[in-house]
Amino acid sequence: MASSRLPPTVLTLKQFMRRQQVLLLYRKILRAIRQVPSDSDRKYLQDWAREEFKRNKSATEEDTIRMMITQGNMQLKELERTLALAKS
């Protein structure tokens, strides 16, 4: 009997696209955090972001994931606004 080359859990296209959105959000958040001037604040925010993403790693419900992505984008925008105000 021929065995399949696919891993036991294959993502659907929708799951794959959602995963890409989450990874992009994570990268954007970490990039924004790099602009924080204070070392201690930057470390705190990095730890916070990593912990939040790890804590929600096992989420599987589509609506919940969409809501978390929306909240993450709002928090990213707030961080970017705060950094822009600090620079001006």
Side-chain angles (χ1 to χ4, degrees):
M1 176 177 234
S3 64
S4 174
R5 291 185 177 189
L6 296 175
T9 56
V10 178
L11 298 177
T12 65
L13 179 59
K14 186 182 269 189
Q15 290 169 328
F16 178 79
M17 297 299 290
R18 197 65 70 203
R19 182 176 187 272
Q20 295 306 311
Q21 284 181 314
V22 171
L23 291 173
L24 180 62
L25 175 62
Y26 183 66
R27 286 187 211 109
K28 284 180 178 180
I29 289 172
L30 289 181
R31 266 190 233 118
I33 290 172
R34 280 190 224 139
Q35 298 174 17
V36 173
S38 168
D39 288 339
S40 61
D41 290 342
R42 187 170 44 249
K43 176 76 170 117
Y44 171 79
L45 289 170
Q46 285 172 341
D47 291 344
W48 167 80
R50 286 187 183 117
E51 189 57 38
E52 283 295 308
F53 277 84
K54 280 182 187 178
R55 187 167 56 89
N56 294 307
K57 182 179 179 179
S58 61
T60 56
E61 192 173 320
E62 185 70 26
D63 291 338
T64 304
I65 295 170
R66 231 184 2 247
M67 180 192 66
M68 287 188 283
I69 290 172
T70 301
Q71 287 177 340
N73 279 316
M74 289 186 327
Q75 290 173 338
L76 173 61
K77 297 240 184 294
E78 184 63 32
L79 175 61
E80 290 171 339
R81 277 193 293 264
T82 303
L83 289 169
L85 284 173
K87 288 180 181 180
S88 60

